[in-house]
Amino acid sequence: MLYLSFFKRLPQHENGRRYGRSRSTVGYYIRKAIQQLYEEMEGLAHEE
């Protein structure tokens, strides 16, 4: 969903239709994925 949204510029409602989810659920998944990436990057920054 993240790839389709940011790199393929697929709107959330279309993304949701492909996966059988609502637009709001897709938005939640995308926000969650971004949060996880951010936390992972923060962890890597503190290792150096």
Side-chain angles (χ1 to χ4, degrees):
M1 289 182 185
L2 192 64
Y3 173 78
L4 291 174
S5 182
F6 284 95
F7 295 100
K8 293 295 186 176
R9 303 263 188 223
L10 191 70
Q12 287 183 1
H13 70 275
E14 288 292 327
N15 211 335
R17 194 168 55 141
R18 286 187 180 201
Y19 290 99
R21 304 281 188 239
S22 69
R23 184 209 53 80
S24 60
T25 301
V26 170
Y28 170 77
Y29 287 152
I30 291 171
R31 284 189 304 277
K32 232 11 203 168
I34 291 171
Q35 180 183 1
Q36 288 174 340
L37 288 170
Y38 178 80
E39 290 170 2
E40 182 69 25
M41 289 172 60
E42 283 290 310
L44 292 174
H46 292 277
E47 288 179 6
E48 296 178 3

